[in-house]
Amino acid sequence: MSFVVCLAALFFLMAVAYRGFSVILFAPIAAMAAVLVTDPAAVPTIFSGLFMEKMVGFLKLYFPLFLLGAVFGKLIEISGFARSIVGAVTGLLGQGRAVAAIVLVGAILTYGGVSLFVAVFAVYPFAAELFRRSDIPKRLIPGTIALGAFTFTMDTLPGTPQIQNIIPTSFFKTDAYAAPWLGIIGSIFVFTLGVAWLEFRRRRAAAAGEGYGADHAEEPVASEDKITIHPAIALLPLFIVGIGNKLLLSWITASYGTEASAALNPDMVAHPVTVQVKAVAAIWAVEGALILGILATVLLGFRNLASRFSEGSKAAVAGSLLAGMNTATEYGFGAVIAALPGFKVISDALSAIPNPLVNEAVTVNVLAGVTGSASGGLSIALAALGERFVQAAQASGIPLEVMHRVASMASGGMDTLPHNGAVITLLAVTGLTHRQSYGDIFAITCIKTLAVFFVIGVYYATGLV
């Protein structure tokens, strides 16, 4: 019965998310309903002592990343830098390479620190314009944007500042550059197969005489504005984030050691504020790098930002609050589910997989798929089973950097099922439906899921990290 309670809570949350209801509202309802069935008297205690504790703990660690990423992305968009980058990439590849151009634009923005949700809004107008000129069916745009923004630059390429690559750092005491060779190999795998699939779909549509189409919803107006920002200037803030992340990580580790304490007044000397630096060094480094990127964008694009900064920053803050709270409530939900008796049945079944890397990949993939969230599923898996993963890796002689990369990649596998928030947002922004465009998104999902097992195979075959 307890096992059924766990599954019912999980599928209820998945169902309400698919129907478009707020996870912030229904995650605690689903969690507390499961507790109510198990032990009614425990509901208030579990709500305050577990659900809220875990939710707030997640926000304490990661909300600044959501906020800074959203602000940085919005500034890149409204400053005109995103348009300049699109123009440079399409000019370099040519109009005949529209699919690859949009994939690369999404990849550049998200690897440079722009939140993937923000990237959807920033890339879509240019994708629509380019696909219209190339007479490529509009229904292929969501899959193209998803490949560029939701896959290898989200969790596979070493150093990516996206939250899915940062969450494992606090569990495995690693950094954002964990297992760089495996990350690069996995990224090439995803990019190559993904572009090949989309090009196959484009050629098939062209052979059938299908073009861009007409009477589409949410169709952006073609812009005739001349791009006046040099691409090198537009790319500079993105480079600053990437380089700053690496340099700050080295500086923080060297300067603060393993533990940092601070006492701001004499009364605090006996009880100073203390932080275990190794658990948060990667988070601090990304936060600092994003701040540098924001400052660089403001300085370089001040003329275009001056009149739009107020409204743009408000929209970014609102978006970061929604994204952060969505993920935090899913994290609290996962902690409650993990505490239920029925979860032991699930974890025991998953632990029956003997190989630690395959075990981790399957576990994270399953939970990301059920919750419809890469960061939510990853957080749930590592919060509930992180210590077990560490012990299994140490017993098998597997570097924790490899565990980090596999967990991060697995989170971005089956997370993009139809109820995924980013998928729903992407389809809404482009004015397309699941029926029209989800097939290509699902193909990218399958490629991304396959990639993590490919990388595991590469590790065992070569020993590369």
Side-chain angles (χ1 to χ4, degrees), residues 283-353:
I283 299 172
W284 287 357
V286 176
E287 289 169 355
L290 286 170
I291 290 171
L292 292 176
I294 289 169
L295 293 175
T297 307
V298 171
L299 289 174
L300 294 170
F302 183 79
R303 185 179 62 183
N304 294 333
L305 288 172
S307 62
R308 307 175 66 187
F309 181 82
S310 177
E311 289 303 315
S313 60
K314 287 178 184 177
V317 170
S320 69
L321 284 168
L322 181 60
M325 283 297 296
N326 271 330
T327 308
T329 52
E330 287 175 342
Y331 187 61
F333 168 82
V336 173
I337 295 301
L340 294 172
F343 189 79
K344 189 174 187 306
V345 178
I346 299 173
S347 64
D348 287 347
L350 292 171
S351 66
I353 302 172

Side-chain angles (χ1 to χ4, degrees), residues 103-288:
V103 171
L104 285 176
V105 168
I108 290 168
L109 291 178
T110 49
Y111 190 64
V114 176
S115 164
L116 60 91
F117 284 94
V118 176
V120 170
F121 291 93
V123 174
Y124 169 57
F126 311 118
E129 185 175 333
L130 190 57
F131 274 48
R132 189 188 302 113
R133 289 179 183 175
S134 304
D135 205 28
I136 299 172
K138 183 182 179 181
R139 61 183 175 82
L140 297 181
I141 289 179
T144 305
I145 294 177
L147 176 60
F150 298 176
T151 58
F152 59 98
T153 56
M154 185 179 83
D155 53 40
T156 308
L157 264 181
T160 177
Q162 298 299 326
I163 191 72
Q164 293 80 6
N165 187 45
I166 304 303
I167 288 173
T169 63
S170 59
F171 291 93
F172 297 122
K173 308 302 183 287
T174 50
D175 59 50
Y177 294 87
W181 285 112
L182 293 179
I184 291 169
I185 292 168
S187 297
I188 294 171
F189 179 91
V190 173
F191 176 82
T192 302
L193 289 189
V195 171
W197 168 262
L198 292 169
E199 284 293 339
F200 163 74
R201 296 281 286 166
R202 179 191 65 78
R203 290 193 300 270
R204 189 173 177 181
E210 181 184 359
Y212 184 80
D215 300 323
H216 293 298
E218 302 297 333
E219 191 70 0
V221 177
S223 175
E224 300 298 330
D225 293 344
K226 186 178 179 181
I227 299 171
T228 58
I229 301 167
H230 194 280
I233 294 176
L235 286 168
L236 186 57
L238 306 181
F239 281 112
I240 287 174
V241 171
I243 297 169
N245 182 15
K246 187 67 173 176
L247 295 178
L248 285 172
L249 182 62
S250 299
W251 177 78
I252 289 167
T253 304
S255 300
Y256 287 90
T258 57
E259 185 177 274
S261 298
L264 298 180
N265 64 67
D267 295 334
M268 293 178 64
V269 172
H271 302 286
V273 176
T274 303
V275 174
Q276 298 300 315
V277 175
K278 196 169 183 180
V280 296
I283 299 172
W284 287 357
V286 176
E287 289 169 355

Side-chain angles (χ1 to χ4, degrees), residues 155 168 172 178-179 182 355-362 364-365 378 398-412 448 451-453 455-457 459-460:
D155 53 40
F172 297 122
L182 293 179
N355 185 282
L357 291 175
V358 175
N359 187 331
E360 180 185 50
V362 172
V364 174
N365 239 314
L378 179 61
I398 299 171
L400 292 182
E401 288 81 2
V402 178
M403 297 296 288
H404 170 134
R405 186 56 54 212
V406 167
S408 186
M409 288 183 66
S411 75
K448 186 61 174 57
V452 69
F453 296 102
V455 162
I456 291 172
Y459 168 71
Y460 281 117

